[in-house]
Amino acid sequence: MYGTIESLDRLIEKFASLPGVGKKTAERLAYGLIMSSEENVRSFSDAMLKAKENIHLCPVCQSLTDKELCSVCANEARDHSVICVVEDPKVVLSLEKVRQFSGVYHVLHGSISPTHGITPDKLKISELTERVAKGGIREVILATNATFSGDTTALYISQLLKEYDVKITRLAYGIPVGADLEYADSITLLKALEGRREF
């Protein structure tokens, strides 16, 4: 096609491959980057590379960190006997903004969805059962999204954990069905945490 620039098209394609970025947004990002100074582009590139090199999964909760343990798992003042199970590391940030939860987290990195090829073995579920099996856990809060796959995941985990002496609760439905937790406001998240129920 006349007027195409291969390297710009490739950059747009790369931006468009990111979750939540459509074709138009990818074009704006690519043009914005191209029109930036070389120093800004190098700084942007360096930030991406450093983030990729330094950020890894916390060996305990599977959230993201650039330290040996994430800041929540490393905090001895937290209640390590209460684990809040979430689908995505971004949900941890949302729940932390509420400043009412004093337990720790476990990130699954998705939810069960056979239609999308996501089976339990592709999630961090075995790491959760290992944590519970070690003992010292009194409650597991299932804070998966209020969607079909989120509910399926919560039910699956609750069945797995039945053999352990642990209270299993589910976030109250102050959160709209079909909504992702990362987009919920702090008050809604607080009410959902306060109104959690036995699963």
Side-chain angles (χ1 to χ4, degrees):
M1 184 174 145
Y2 176 76
T4 60
I5 303 169
E6 188 179 334
S7 55
L8 181 59
D9 289 344
R10 185 167 178 267
L11 184 59
I12 291 168
E13 185 182 305
K14 289 296 177 188
F15 276 123
S17 71
L18 295 171
V21 178
K23 178 82 169 157
K24 289 290 183 191
T25 302
E27 287 174 358
R28 281 196 301 274
L29 292 170
Y31 278 98
L33 198 60
I34 293 299
M35 299 310 290
S36 293
S37 68
E38 187 172 334
E39 181 184 344
N40 189 47
V41 173
R42 288 190 188 284
S43 176
F44 187 79
S45 173
D46 184 57
M48 286 193 299
L49 288 170
K50 286 276 191 287
K52 187 61 182 168
E53 288 169 9
N54 297 326
I55 297 173
H56 57 91
L57 298 184
C58 173
V60 177
C61 72
Q62 309 303 311
S63 192
L64 300 176
T65 185
D66 60 353
K67 307 279 190 293
E68 185 180 341
L69 294 177
C70 74
S71 59
V72 174
C73 289
N75 187 345
E76 293 180 11
R78 304 289 294 232
D79 184 352
H80 290 258
S81 71
V82 179
I83 300 174
C84 183
V85 180
V86 299
E87 294 180 21
D88 189 283
K90 292 177 286 201
V91 177
V92 173
L93 295 176
S94 297
L95 286 167
E96 283 298 287
K97 287 177 187 171
V98 176
R99 297 188 182 277
Q100 294 295 315
F101 180 64
S102 59
V104 292
Y105 299 95
H106 188 87
V107 182
L108 299 172
H109 294 275
S111 58
I112 297 169
S113 178
T115 56
H116 293 100
I118 305 171
T119 52
D121 60 298
K122 293 187 177 172
L123 303 175
K124 300 295 182 180
I125 295 174
S126 62
E127 289 84 350
L128 173 64
T129 54
E130 286 172 22
R131 285 177 77 181
V132 174
K134 286 179 184 173
I137 307 299
R138 68 181 165 82
E139 182 181 5
V140 173
I141 304 167
L142 298 173
T144 53
N145 292 326
T147 59
F148 180 76
S149 61
D151 287 342
T152 301
T153 305
L155 183 61
Y156 179 83
I157 291 171
S158 71
Q159 295 300 316
L160 277 181
L161 300 181
K162 277 203 168 154
E163 66 178 274
Y164 303 103
D165 183 26
V166 62
K167 181 180 180 182
I168 301 168
T169 57
R170 180 91 163 107
L171 281 189
Y173 281 100
I175 297 179
V177 174
D180 287 339
L181 291 177
E182 67 185 270
Y183 301 116
D185 62 279
S186 295
I187 302 297
T188 303
L189 282 170
L190 175 58
K191 293 297 179 192
L193 273 171
E194 288 176 343
R196 65 185 185 269
R197 57 182 169 77
E198 193 94 15
F199 196 73

